[in-house]
Amino acid sequence: MWLELRDAVRRFGARPALHGVSFGLEEGEVGCLLGPSGCGKTTALRCIAGLETLDGGSILSQGRVLEGPGVHLPPHERGIGLVFQDHALFPHLTARGNVEFGLQHLSRPGRRARAAEMLELVGLGDCTDAYPAQLSGGQQQRVAVARALAPRPATLLLDEPFSSLDVALRERLVGELRALLKSLGATALVVTHDQQDAFALADRVALMREGRLEQWGTPYDLYHRPVSRFAAEFVGQASFLPACCGGSGELQTELGPLVEGHGGNAACGGEVDVLLRPDDVVHDDVAPLKARIVERVFRGAEFLYTLELPSGRRVLSLVPSHHDHRIGESIGVRLATDHVVTFPPLRGVTAAGAP
Amino acid sequence: MSPMPQRFAAVAAVALLAVPAMLPLVSAALAWAAPEGEIWQHQLQHVLPRVTGNTVLLLVLVAAVTGVLGTALAWLVAGHEFPGRSIFAWALLLPLAVPGYVLAVVFAGALDFAGPLQSWLRDALGVGVRLPPIRSLGGAALVLSLCLYPYVYMLARVAFETGGARTLEAAQTLGMDRRSAFRRALLPLARPAIAAGVGLVCMETLADFGVVAALNVDTFTTAIYRAWYGMFSIAAALQMAAVLALLALAGVWVERRLRGGRGFAGQRPNGALPRLTLTGARAFAATGIASFVLAVAFVLPMAQLLAWAVKHAASDLDARYWAFAGRSVALAASGSLVVVAAALVHGYALRLERRPWLLGLGRLATVGYAVPGTVLAVGLFAPVAALNTWMQDRLDIAFGASAPQVFLQGTLLTMFVAYLARFLAVGTGPVESGLERIHRNLDEAAMLLGARGAGRLRRLHLPLLRGSLLAAAVLVFVDLMKELPITLMTRPFGFETLAVRVFEMAAEGEWERAALPSVLIVAVGVLPVVLLARRVTHVA
């Protein structure tokens, strides 16, 4: 393991912010800590950087103990780079001055050369003498990345790197950042609350909830094989439909039978709830089963319809946008589920809706 | 997270910086433990009642006049449009630049029986015409009010201009006319600010030595001075100082209570206050009132001062004068260097170690701004003298008859420690707000990039703090140029500065000859007021 957290515990007063979190990154992997605010993801990042001290467990980098019982390496001895949420650029230094800040161990020409190289790498070769205030948000972020990478850290940490940027810029920068990290072969850990960013950026995602690691896996796994209702609802949109286990391992639902496809956790044991993603419910004019549209959201390429089944339960369906139906109309639907995921039913909940 | 040595250094620095402010208070308090017989009996029976009465009466008069005058001018400027308004907006702050004792000297000289005003009145109206004497409690109240009303004016105006627009509109939609909206909504809104301004005025009045000394009014500060220099009783002086310190600290407590309840400065600007355009006679009256205040408090006294200065320049503008000026500047410059360095250490230590109890200790260090200079001077004299004796004893034991003589009282040590106590708060203000503006993320970023301790201070904080440090240095420099009681009471024998010279000339009734040294002090004092005026004017 290149970077590893073992059973990390961090308390603020009586309230634990990290509740025994363990995961590891291999060399060159980009990991992502995903979760709602207050789930402990930023605390985990700050503990790795050495800005906070663990109350239990340990942190290792390339087998070296950074943090453990009786060990707390100071931040600058860890070989960890950090890109702050607000970039934290030094306002009194130019872009080059910022990048050179962490290179005091080099000679002056050495610093110059390394700074020039890094700024070139992030595409700011002609802004080296600009002050942070003269740079756009995206450029500031790239300076922050260059500054963090300049001292050649073993691992780069990024705290909500896109939260301060506008949406239009965001999508492009996510792609650029991933390309940059991959071209450098950098090992990186990114904190975000945005599932889209996590999916676009990361090889592996750690989904966190209330200081615990809910699920650790690839983005594909997280979406299609969520281990809990929380995971299913936080990552993408989800609706749940009750199902009954037939004799031959078939699940019977209101929308017809479901057959185990390419995976999932379908276990046969009486009553269960089946996870349905909006793309699992397909609009088909010839389907015998009709559902009434109760809500619709136009998304450009497709509509997201909320459908009410005859039983009164609601499911979400993603439909290509040339199928323009009005609220109140009934349309034919059928199931097209590859990954059947089931959860034990929730008592007292009759209809599942979108988060 | 912070390593032990760093924590120790931070705590030690803050504790050490609290010593200058705490030491005089402790030695004043201790003086009560050993009441000194005869002199103290005399003080208790004859001096204390009169001094207390005068001080309280002076406080009440000055508070009332500045409260009414400051608030009225603030409402006039903030809420009305009249010819010259934009000039008066900042010019009404100018009296802040004139130290009280300078204004007292001008008034005493100009309103003297033989002075220009009374002579002119006699010529015009007849021999029997006399003005009430300026060298009286009433005169001191007048002079102090004219110097200090800008505190109330400034704070009240900011309160009207930042919080007033919405309040005024709301009151008007509820059916009030402008006048009753002012009385029933705006005035209560600005009350905490006005109270804070009057509080500052009271502190300054309590601490004032120069005005009451020049105008011959017996208050605590002059009583302390006289006990020491007249009766040579350090114990009696200390006992007086203890009472005065108690009053001052009570004032601090009241002020913090008042401010704690309602954050008067927490208001964010909510639109410009609509100004009522005055016309005709009312516009004339508004301009007239503002001009009158400015003329009496600043323009005429300064004109008189300049006239006297020019008149005596031929004889007094000599090498001796430049020696006073050089000493003043050197003292103020080195003092401000010491104070700002201490303020930086203070602010940085508290930034590194943010513990509530350490912040409390840090606040103790800055409480000296409220302690009158006379109290600090006598309160520090006793411990320094004790230290001197102790060192001499050690040396005598070690070297016998050939031991060198120690004479700490003859050095500037006491003076600088007292400066530090009194003006540390002036330095910590800008330094703390400067440090506050440096986001903690920057510290962490620098830490991750390998900049530690002194390196972080040099490479990150000092460059970002340059402006704040300069502002702090200018403010302290000007305060030290004007400072009178500490310099007067702790200076080595024969050590004269501009301020001391003004005091000496005033003591001899040589009003006109006090003008030349005063001019330079006022000229320096105008500097920060202009800066302040610009900031306050841009608030709204």
Side-chain angles (χ1 to χ4, degrees):
Chain A
M1 278 291 158
W2 186 263
L3 178 75
E4 198 177 355
L5 258 73
R6 289 184 189 160
D7 225 10
V9 175
R10 170 69 179 153
R11 291 184 204 92
F12 291 118
R15 193 173 60 87
L18 290 181
H19 231 319
V21 172
S22 307
F23 63 86
L25 281 179
E26 296 290 356
E27 182 172 8
E29 264 188 333
V30 177
C32 197
L33 292 174
L34 176 68
S37 64
C39 70
K41 55 193 193 299
T42 295
T43 305
L45 202 73
R46 291 173 61 84
C47 285
I48 298 170
L51 300 172
E52 307 264 355
T53 314
L54 279 189
D55 294 311
S58 51
I59 300 170
L60 287 82
S61 173
Q62 297 165 269
R64 189 167 66 121
V65 179
L66 304 183
E67 183 90 36
V71 183
H72 175 79
L73 280 191
H76 60 279
E77 287 175 20
R78 296 187 167 211
I80 301 278
L82 173 58
V83 177
F84 288 82
Q85 183 170 358
D86 61 356
H87 314 320
L89 294 180
F90 303 124
H92 62 300
L93 298 176
T94 60
R96 183 174 52 214
N98 267 281
V99 178
E100 284 182 2
F101 195 95
L103 301 173
Q104 294 303 304
H105 54 286
L106 299 180
S107 66
R108 185 181 284 263
R111 284 204 293 266
R112 276 284 146 98
R114 178 71 179 152
E117 182 194 341
M118 289 312 300
L119 285 167
E120 199 63 53
L121 196 66
V122 297
L124 288 175
D126 38 1
C127 298
T128 53
D129 291 321
Y131 285 92
Q134 299 167 313
L135 297 171
S136 70
Q139 289 172 322
Q140 286 181 14
Q141 188 194 44
R142 282 185 277 166
V143 174
V145 171
R147 181 179 73 178
L149 285 172
R152 303 182 197 279
T155 305
L156 181 68
L157 309 177
L158 299 101
D159 187 7
E160 299 271 7
F162 307 108
S163 66
S164 58
L165 305 174
D166 61 70
V167 184
L169 198 60
R170 201 170 167 132
E171 219 156 290
R172 208 187 78 220
L173 282 176
V174 173
E176 283 181 9
L177 182 62
R178 176 162 172 95
L180 176 69
L181 292 175
K182 284 295 162 190
S183 75
L184 291 169
T187 311
L189 187 62
V190 184
V191 158
T192 180
H193 63 271
D194 187 296
Q195 162 233 327
Q196 304 283 0
D197 291 351
F199 283 9
L201 206 54
D203 301 312
R204 284 175 181 281
V205 177
L207 179 66
M208 293 188 63
R209 178 194 191 185
E210 289 169 4
R212 293 176 201 277
L213 192 64
E214 186 86 359
Q215 189 169 0
W216 171 242
T218 63
Y220 191 87
D221 274 349
L222 234 64
Y223 188 77
H224 288 297
R225 299 184 194 92
V227 298
S228 64
R229 277 173 189 267
F230 171 79
E233 287 185 321
F234 192 80
V235 179
Q237 278 154 315
S239 37
F240 299 94
L241 203 59
C244 193
C245 212
S248 57
E250 239 185 26
L251 286 167
Q252 284 299 333
T253 75
E254 198 181 345
L255 283 169
L258 271 175
V259 189
E260 179 65 27
H262 301 284
N265 69 346
C268 222
E271 292 278 312
V272 288
D273 277 355
V274 185
L275 165 67
L276 293 181
R277 296 291 188 192
D279 52 318
D280 293 336
V281 182
V282 178
H283 171 36
D284 186 350
D285 284 328
V286 300
L289 218 130
K290 306 285 179 199
R292 198 169 58 87
I293 298 173
V294 292
E295 226 178 279
R296 58 175 220 165
V297 179
F298 181 54
R299 291 185 165 185
E302 69 256 333
F303 279 107
L304 180 67
Y305 289 121
T306 305
L307 304 173
E308 195 171 85
L309 302 179
S311 68
R313 293 178 190 281
R314 290 177 177 195
V315 294
L316 294 166
S317 173
L318 212 52
V319 175
S321 79
H322 52 269
H323 293 279
D324 186 4
H325 299 285
R326 265 167 308 197
I327 288 177
E329 272 184 61
S330 286
I331 58 172
V333 287
R334 63 179 170 79
L335 286 180
T337 311
D338 266 353
H339 309 87
V340 179
V341 177
T342 63
F343 299 107
L346 281 181
R347 293 257 157 74
V349 178
T350 52
Chain B
M1 233 282 326
S2 52
M4 277 310 282
Q6 176 188 305
R7 181 177 312 167
F8 179 76
V11 173
V14 175
L16 201 64
L17 286 173
V19 169
M22 291 299 111
L23 203 54
L25 296 180
V26 170
S27 63
L30 284 180
W32 279 89
E36 197 171 289
E38 267 175 59
I39 293 180
W40 182 236
Q41 277 307 315
H42 168 80
Q43 297 275 61
L44 214 53
Q45 278 172 14
H46 303 288
V47 182
L48 200 60
R50 191 179 70 239
V51 160
T52 309
N54 281 349
T55 304
V56 170
L57 191 57
L58 194 64
L59 272 178
V60 170
L61 283 175
V62 175
V65 174
T66 54
V68 171
L69 188 62
T71 309
L73 289 172
W75 177 235
L76 187 66
V77 169
H80 304 85
E81 196 59 68
F82 55 92
R85 192 204 75 91
S86 58
I87 294 169
F88 289 120
W90 62 267
L92 284 169
L93 288 169
L94 278 173
L96 273 184
V98 186
Y101 56 87
V102 170
L103 200 65
V105 160
V106 177
F107 270 64
L111 302 184
D112 207 34
F113 183 74
L117 186 65
Q118 295 229 39
S119 306
W120 176 78
L121 280 176
R122 274 195 302 277
D123 288 347
L125 302 171
V127 189
V129 177
R130 295 197 71 148
L131 288 180
I134 188 71
R135 303 191 72 190
S136 63
L137 196 138
L142 174 70
V143 168
L144 282 169
S145 298
L146 289 175
C147 291
L148 299 176
Y149 82 83
Y151 284 119
V152 182
Y153 162 74
M154 179 170 67
L155 291 175
R157 212 187 96 204
V158 170
F160 288 143
E161 285 177 350
T162 53
R166 235 8 118 249
T167 311
L168 185 66
E169 284 170 5
Q172 284 176 328
T173 61
L174 294 171
M176 290 186 202
D177 63 9
R178 221 178 143 84
R179 181 181 301 242
S180 53
F182 170 71
R183 209 182 55 237
R184 294 189 37 203
L186 275 176
L187 206 54
L189 174 85
R191 199 156 45 203
I194 295 167
V198 172
L200 281 173
V201 167
C202 287
M203 305 286 244
E204 293 283 335
T205 305
L206 215 49
D208 170 72
F209 170 73
V211 172
V212 286
L215 298 181
N216 237 357
V217 181
D218 279 339
T219 64
F220 274 106
T221 52
T222 48
I224 293 168
Y225 182 77
R226 213 161 313 117
W228 195 2
Y229 283 89
M231 294 181 275
F232 302 103
S233 169
I234 182 82
L238 272 174
Q239 280 160 346
M240 283 288 174
V243 182
L244 180 55
L246 213 59
L247 279 176
L249 292 180
V252 175
W253 183 75
V254 169
E255 194 256 4
R256 283 192 181 160
R257 283 289 300 268
L258 277 179
R259 208 172 38 180
R262 277 163 288 185
F264 68 84
Q267 300 265 5
R268 258 182 301 160
N270 54 15
L273 190 70
R275 283 196 285 268
L276 184 70
T277 303
L278 300 177
T279 53
R282 300 182 65 200
F284 188 75
T287 309
I289 289 167
S291 310
F292 178 74
V293 172
L294 193 61
V296 172
F298 189 76
V299 178
L300 293 178
M302 291 309 104
Q304 177 69 83
L305 202 64
L306 278 177
W308 287 339
V310 170
K311 185 169 148 197
H312 290 272
S315 58
D316 284 1
L317 195 62
D318 52 7
R320 255 186 95 201
Y321 175 78
W322 291 115
F324 303 146
R327 221 169 278 141
S328 274
V329 170
L331 204 57
S334 50
S336 88
L337 206 65
V338 169
V339 170
V340 171
L344 183 63
V345 169
H346 185 261
Y348 204 58
L350 293 180
R351 184 181 177 89
L352 289 178
E353 286 295 320
R354 282 152 75 91
R355 283 153 211 284
W357 63 269
L358 196 64
L359 284 175
L361 189 62
R363 219 168 289 149
L364 276 188
T366 54
V367 89
Y369 81 93
V371 181
T374 44
V375 174
L376 293 173
V378 292
L380 282 169
F381 179 83
V384 169
L387 177 68
N388 193 75
T389 314
W390 181 82
M391 283 169 68
Q392 189 69 63
D393 287 350
R394 293 301 93 112
L395 285 173
D396 287 345
I397 291 166
F399 298 101
S402 63
Q405 284 294 312
V406 184
F407 191 54
L408 291 178
Q409 294 98 314
T411 67
L412 297 179
L413 176 74
T414 321
M415 197 188 285
F416 274 87
V417 175
Y419 283 169
L420 198 56
R422 179 121 169 96
F423 297 109
L424 184 63
V426 179
T428 54
V431 169
E432 255 161 36
S433 67
L435 278 169
E436 210 59 47
R437 277 197 301 273
I438 302 176
H439 199 283
R440 280 183 173 269
N441 275 353
L442 293 185
D443 287 43
E444 292 180 344
M447 198 166 20
L448 278 162
L449 294 168
R452 273 168 295 162
R456 201 152 80 227
L457 181 64
R458 181 175 55 80
R459 292 173 59 202
L460 176 65
H461 295 118
L462 280 185
L464 289 173
L465 279 177
R466 214 167 347 180
S468 308
L469 291 176
L470 192 69
V474 168
L475 290 178
V476 177
F477 179 85
V478 172
D479 269 341
L480 288 179
M481 283 289 286
K482 299 200 285 196
E483 207 289 326
L484 178 61
I486 293 175
T487 316
L488 184 70
M489 293 170 74
T490 60
R491 71 204 162 114
F493 184 74
F495 187 92
E496 281 184 295
T497 64
L498 290 172
V500 171
R501 181 74 181 163
V502 174
F503 173 80
E504 285 174 343
M505 290 295 105
E508 290 169 26
E510 295 259 20
W511 312 115
E512 301 191 3
R513 293 186 65 199
L516 197 57
S518 298
V519 166
L520 201 58
I521 299 176
V522 174
V524 172
V526 167
L527 199 76
V529 175
V530 169
L531 292 177
L532 178 75
R534 202 179 295 163
R535 244 200 9 230
V536 173
T537 313
H538 286 175
V539 161

